[in-house]
Amino acid sequence: MKDLHSELSAAQKFSALLARARSGAGAGASRANLLALGLAGFCFVLYTVLSVSRHRLMLTTGYDLGIFEQAVRSYAHGRLPVSELKGHDYPLLGDHFSPVTATIAPFYRLWPSPYTLLVAQAFLLALAVVPLTRWACRVVGTAGAAVVGLGFGLSWGIAQTVGFDFHEVCFAVPLLAFAVEALGNERWRAAVAWSLPLLLVKEDLGLTVAAVGTYVALRGRARLGIVTAVAGLAGTALTMLVVIPAFNPDGVFAYFDKVPDGSASGAPGLLAHYTLGLVTPAVKQLTMLMLLAPTAFLALRSPLVLIAVPTLAWRFASANEAYWGTKFHYSAVLMPVVFGAFVHALAQMRGQRRAAGWPDAVRTSLAASALFTVLVLPLHPFAQLADASTWTPGARVAVATRVLKLIPDGETVSASNRFVPQLTHRCTVMVLGLTQNQDAPEWVVADTAEPQGWPIGRDQEVAEVARFREKGYEVVAEEAGVVLLRRP
């Protein structure tokens, strides 16, 4: 009887310990969720404020916010996406394969405005903070998770994306964050499920899906990994070789010419381009440095960093210099990968915690990451929020706003690039000076005093205004260099 009583007592103690462990785990998960949602909420507000303020200052552009708004506007009215900015009724599925943007259409139907796209982008980018922060919280605690979450949320790749209009890659960022977190925790089916929708974001991301599949296969789930890799490669091939050419007016994938094929330089030049040329000139090395430095270079200790290779490869292989550096939105999809690799490396270090100096190494790495985030912050678009001019649109913005209000809804307009997204929600708009434009838009509006300088310079912009005047267009308004003309 005594033995039975002892066994029951031991069982009760074990149950109590198990209950406490579950309670502790539940509390830990709750803290992780609260921290993740708090940081994501902070980033959402930050991104929204920056995007909205830039649009109010007329710093957004037709290329690219205007193009994407025209696509979403088409979807919202039950049509396949077209963009007058690319050419008359130009089918955008013949340019890039990004049907995922249709998911914004219901919201745009309720609020037809470029702000709908900017707020959606802010939400999607901020959402990616959640899986990375929760994972880091389990690995290095709340303080370390705050460093990771803010390091990602304030990273230069995300900042450049928020600071440059709207782009479809904002959908890829949270998908990759959830996929990389699942890979790091060996939840293979979840990782595949999060990565497959990338095929609907942009045609090149099938290569990233293939990289995820290869990683899964190499980690022991061969069948699942191989099927995923094949699906990724097939998706990219299908969209580039079949779907996009089918919609493209010229029947081609227009971006193949961005990658050298050896016809100009021959075999030796082609070999040099795809070897030494992948790491030169120095701007490519700088981009690699900027990618790894936020993680104190610990990302290199995780095989997850290889998921970034396809994107880096096509960018560095391209002849388009804009792809090589840290500007614009091109690095957005790399940030969740390198920060996921960072957390994975920290987790691997935790697994070796019996080694002397483990806590110090983790603290040093996190401190270095935090320091980099703080030092780089003033160099990128988030620093604009500390500038007083960001909050007070100047006299020129007021003038342009008054002039643009003179254009009735539903008209066709040829406009300076930065005026375009101010009009795309209510007019059919083209960028002034491009050859694919309609010959006789109903309205022409230009900033001849402070043009953006792309796609045409000030002299050409002035010449375009003069050309329309010679064609008989009437001057409706002209103030501080902002000129509005109407077709007779």
Side-chain angles (χ1 to χ4, degrees):
M1 198 69 182
K2 184 183 287 187
D3 291 341
L4 180 59
H5 179 74
S6 299
E7 289 177 7
L8 288 172
S9 178
Q12 289 171 345
K13 290 179 180 177
F14 178 76
S15 297
L17 287 172
L18 185 60
R20 283 198 294 272
R22 287 174 176 171
S23 176
S30 179
R31 285 195 299 272
N33 286 332
L34 285 174
L35 177 63
L37 292 174
L39 294 182
F42 166 76
C43 289
F44 171 66
V45 172
L46 181 71
Y47 303 161
T48 300
V49 170
L50 178 60
S51 296
V52 167
S53 64
R54 286 180 56 80
H55 187 67
R56 286 179 64 244
L57 293 170
M58 296 189 178
L59 296 177
T60 53
T61 65
Y63 279 70
D64 294 313
L65 178 57
I67 291 174
F68 282 105
E69 186 178 0
Q70 289 179 338
V72 173
R73 190 181 182 192
S74 298
Y75 281 127
H77 290 87
R79 303 190 302 268
L80 289 176
V82 296
S83 175
E84 201 71 23
L85 291 160
K86 298 285 291 185
H88 184 51
D89 284 338
Y90 187 94
L92 284 174
L93 290 177
D95 185 44
H96 288 299
F97 186 72
S98 303
V100 70
T101 54
T103 59
I104 303 177
F107 304 99
Y108 188 86
R109 191 65 186 260
L110 294 173
W111 187 24
S113 166
Y115 291 119
T116 302
L117 279 70
L118 296 174
V119 172
Q121 176 172 259
F123 172 80
L124 290 164
L125 294 175
L127 180 61
V129 173
V130 173
L132 296 172
T133 303
R134 286 193 310 204
W135 183 17
C137 203
R138 296 195 300 269
V139 173
V140 290
T142 54
V147 170
V148 172
L150 286 174
F152 166 79
L154 301 178
S155 63
W156 60 267
I158 299 299
Q160 294 286 26
T161 302
V162 176
F164 179 40
D165 291 8
F166 170 94
H167 298 90
E168 74 285 273
V169 295
C170 65
F171 287 93
V173 174
L175 289 171
L176 279 167
F178 281 102
V180 169
E181 184 272 336
L183 288 173
N185 289 283
E186 300 185 357
R187 295 185 290 112
W188 309 123
R189 290 184 180 276
V192 169
W194 283 113
S195 64
L196 284 176
L198 293 171
L199 293 170
L200 302 178
V201 177
K202 201 172 181 183
E203 60 277 0
D204 64 281
L205 288 170
L207 301 178
T208 300
V209 174
V212 170
T214 302
Y215 184 93
V216 171
L218 293 175
R219 293 302 301 269
R221 295 296 299 273
R223 180 178 298 178
L224 177 64
I226 291 171
V227 169
T228 303
V230 170
L233 293 174
T236 289
L238 182 65
T239 52
M240 287 186 177
L241 301 177
V242 179
V243 177
I244 293 176
F247 284 97
N248 187 280
D250 297 321
V252 298
F253 176 62
Y255 296 90
F256 278 139
D257 63 358
K258 302 295 184 184
V259 180
D261 59 5
S263 57
S265 57
L270 194 63
L271 178 62
H273 177 80
Y274 285 101
T275 51
L276 184 62
L278 292 178
V279 293
T280 58
V283 64
K284 298 177 182 178
Q285 300 161 34
L286 176 62
T287 297
M288 290 296 298
L289 178 67
M290 290 291 289
L291 280 172
L292 297 170
T295 72
F297 296 93
L298 279 188
L300 289 172
R301 296 184 58 168
S302 168
L304 284 175
V305 77
L306 297 175
I307 305 299
V309 168
T311 297
L312 285 171
W314 75 254
R315 283 177 57 187
F316 290 172
S318 172
N320 186 346
E321 296 182 11
Y323 295 159
W324 302 345
T326 58
K327 294 181 180 180
F328 309 117
H329 58 288
Y330 301 118
S331 295
V333 298
L334 301 176
M335 306 319 293
V337 176
V338 295
F339 275 90
F342 184 29
V343 179
H344 192 226
L346 291 171
Q348 292 176 322
M349 292 170 65
R350 186 186 67 172
Q352 303 164 357
R353 63 189 306 167
R354 291 182 181 178
W358 177 82
D360 291 337
V362 170
R363 282 195 291 268
T364 300
S365 299
L366 290 170
S369 175
L371 179 63
F372 182 87
T373 298
V374 171
L375 291 177
V376 173
L377 198 58
L379 305 178
H380 294 294
F382 293 139
Q384 295 171 17
L385 295 176
D387 190 336
S389 63
T390 299
W391 307 99
T392 309
R396 290 189 55 74
V397 172
V399 168
T401 301
R402 287 197 302 271
V403 171
L404 293 175
K405 284 181 178 179
L406 298 175
I407 302 173
D409 293 352
E411 302 284 84
T412 58
V413 185
S414 184
S416 293
N417 197 18
R418 283 184 173 155
F419 290 162
V420 168
Q422 308 294 325
L423 296 165
T424 41
H425 65 290
R426 62 185 186 88
C427 294
T428 299
V429 195
M430 302 152 276
V431 172
L432 181 66
L434 297 187
T435 57
Q436 67 262 30
N437 290 348
Q438 296 182 35
D439 289 334
E442 294 164 301
W443 297 82
V444 174
V445 60
D447 186 347
T448 60
E450 296 183 12
Q452 182 184 351
W454 192 93
I456 62 175
R458 181 182 182 280
D459 292 343
Q460 189 178 349
E461 193 139 350
V462 171
E464 281 293 303
V465 171
R467 183 173 69 86
F468 279 105
R469 281 179 165 174
E470 290 172 2
K471 291 173 66 174
Y473 277 65
E474 303 169 357
V475 178
V476 176
E478 187 169 6
E479 184 179 356
V482 179
V483 182
L484 177 63
L485 307 177
R486 180 175 55 198
R487 190 179 67 193

